[in-house]
């Protein structure tokens, strides 16, 4: 049984690295044999995204990622604060397939929305 994840977000900094989103808006769907946990923050989303890109090399985003993995990871790490802070409008749907004792398969869908609020730092010059 495959579990699924649908990840929607906006991230212009990541779009410049991965090159598979129009205007930095992503709407990706993946399958996995592994367990999926709903993300709690943007770092969890990024970790989930890289894991699922590796597991789904047949998707358009997966093909780009696998063909340029070293460069994408390098550029992401060099620009990590910008990538993390550029996330907007995150929605992650985790769909888990469950089989009951009679062999019936049902899907359980958990949707997580992560709201990013911008903070500004001010300095007192006393």
């Amino acid at each position: 049984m495959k579990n699924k994840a649908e990840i929607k977000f906006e991230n212009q900094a990541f779009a410049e690295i991965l090159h598979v989103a129009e205007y930095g808006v992503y709407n990706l769907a993946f399958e996995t044999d592994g367990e999926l946990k709903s993300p709690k923050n943007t770092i969890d989303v990024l970790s989930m995204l890289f894991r699922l890109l590796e597991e789904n090399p047949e998707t358009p985003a997966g093909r780009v990622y696998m063909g340029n993995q070293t460069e994408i990871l390098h550029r992401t790490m060099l620009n990590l604060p910008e990538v993390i802070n550029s996330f907007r409008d995150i929605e992650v749907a985790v769909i888990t397939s469950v089989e009951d004792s009679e062999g019936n398969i049902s899907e359980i869908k958990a949707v997580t929305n992560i709201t990013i609020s911008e903070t500004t730092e001010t300095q007192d010059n006393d």
Side-chain angles (χ1 to χ4, degrees):
M1 284 185 293
K2 296 272 187 186
N3 295 319
K4 301 172 191 160
E6 297 168 356
I7 305 174
K8 299 175 186 176
F9 62 90
E10 183 178 331
N11 190 323
Q12 190 59 43
F14 194 64
E16 292 172 14
I17 294 170
L18 192 56
H19 301 296
V20 293
E22 189 169 336
Y23 307 112
V25 178
Y26 289 85
N27 187 358
L28 304 169
F30 300 106
E31 290 187 342
T32 182
D33 291 323
E35 181 183 350
L36 290 171
K37 294 183 180 181
S38 294
K40 293 179 176 57
N41 54 45
T42 55
I43 295 171
D44 288 351
V45 173
L46 192 60
S47 296
M48 175 187 275
L49 181 61
F50 281 137
R51 173 183 153 207
L52 291 169
L53 286 168
E54 283 186 22
E55 291 180 20
N56 290 270
E58 73 285 352
T59 64
R63 279 193 298 276
V64 170
Y65 176 74
M66 295 307 289
N68 303 286
Q69 187 175 26
T70 302
E71 178 191 353
I72 289 168
L73 290 174
H74 178 74
R75 291 181 64 197
T76 300
M77 292 308 296
L78 285 176
N79 299 300
L80 190 58
E82 182 183 356
V83 170
I84 294 298
N85 293 328
S86 294
F87 274 105
R88 300 284 179 269
D89 301 323
I90 302 170
E91 179 180 295
V92 178
V94 173
I95 300 109
T96 306
S97 298
V98 180
E99 185 174 357
D100 67 17
S101 60
E102 297 174 6
N104 299 315
I105 297 173
S106 59
E107 292 185 339
I108 300 168
K109 184 175 185 175
V111 178
T112 302
N113 290 290
I114 299 174
T115 304
I116 310 299
S117 59
E118 291 191 33
T119 57
T120 57
E121 292 183 29
T122 57
Q123 245 181 0
D124 288 333
N125 293 326
D126 293 333

